[in-house]
Amino acid sequence: MSQQQQPPPTNPQAVLQQPPQQQLNQQQDFDPVHRFKMLIPQLKESLQNVMAIASQNFAHNTAIDNGIKSNDSTVQRFDKSLEEFYALCDQLELCLRLAHECLSQSIDSAKHSPNLVPTATKPDTVQTESLSYSQYLSMIKSQISCAKDIHNALLECSKKIAGKSQQQGIL
């Protein structure tokens, strides 16, 4: 019996323990490093294609210049293959930038909240330096308070700037 024909498991824990293949593929699609690794073979193939088409075009143009062939025969377009190569390079660049941004966010997260809160799903991996839930809540409340203070300061500045620009408009 194939996987598509099997009835879904009735045990909810079995569903949580074994993620479907589609969900796993979606998670991997969002991972920029995995996407980068998937694009590298395509980039190699595209580069080989660009070089092969360039070689064919050089040989064809040389034959035309030497008077061996006429311009009637068709050759593959070099600009299309080069455009495909550059599109893959752009995708790779975006993957690397996204991976760098994710790493930066991870570092910032570790810097501003270095201790993790133990999860209920993994009680056996509790670390000694992890925060209790009440400590975590107090840390989050202080971060929210700080964000509100910054927000209020920005509002005051914008009101002062708006007030000055209105006064200058009246004068």
Side-chain angles (χ1 to χ4, degrees):
M1 188 182 272
S2 71
Q3 283 185 332
Q4 293 176 348
Q5 294 174 350
Q6 291 178 349
T10 56
N11 183 358
Q13 290 178 346
V15 173
L16 293 175
Q17 291 174 353
Q18 298 176 355
Q21 184 67 24
Q22 183 180 7
Q23 184 181 7
L24 186 61
N25 287 340
Q26 287 175 348
Q27 289 172 350
Q28 289 174 345
D29 287 344
F30 291 122
D31 181 18
V33 175
H34 182 263
R35 177 122 173 93
F36 180 85
K37 288 178 181 178
M38 288 176 38
L39 287 174
I40 290 295
Q42 293 176 13
L43 183 71
K44 287 179 181 179
E45 183 180 326
S46 178
L47 181 60
Q48 289 174 348
N49 189 29
V50 166
M51 294 299 165
I53 290 173
S55 173
Q56 290 171 1
N57 283 339
F58 278 130
H60 179 73
N61 289 339
T62 302
I64 290 173
D65 290 345
N66 292 335
I68 299 171
K69 288 185 179 178
S70 66
N71 200 10
D72 297 338
S73 63
T74 60
V75 290
Q76 291 180 326
R77 293 190 49 180
F78 177 73
D79 58 339
K80 295 287 184 185
S81 62
L82 190 60
E83 186 176 325
E84 177 187 330
F85 176 76
Y86 281 140
L88 284 170
C89 288
D90 289 342
Q91 288 180 27
L92 287 170
E93 180 184 7
L94 289 174
C95 288
L96 290 175
R97 285 185 184 193
L98 181 59
H100 183 265
E101 191 67 30
C102 289
L103 178 63
S104 296
Q105 285 183 1
S106 176
I107 290 170
D108 288 343
S109 176
K111 178 178 155 185
H112 297 294
S113 178
N115 299 325
L116 301 175
V117 176
T119 59
T121 57
K122 296 180 182 178
D124 57 336
T125 60
V126 174
Q127 298 174 350
T128 57
E129 71 260 4
S130 63
L131 295 175
S132 68
Y133 188 69
S134 60
Q135 290 171 327
Y136 177 75
L137 283 179
S138 67
M139 181 184 66
I140 294 299
K141 286 179 183 177
S142 69
Q143 289 176 347
I144 291 172
S145 173
C146 182
K148 284 182 181 179
D149 291 343
I150 293 171
H151 181 262
N152 290 336
L154 289 173
L155 279 177
E156 288 177 27
C157 288
S158 67
K159 287 177 184 177
K160 286 180 183 178
I161 291 171
K164 286 182 181 179
S165 64
Q166 288 177 356
Q167 289 176 356
Q168 289 176 355
I170 295 173
L171 298 175

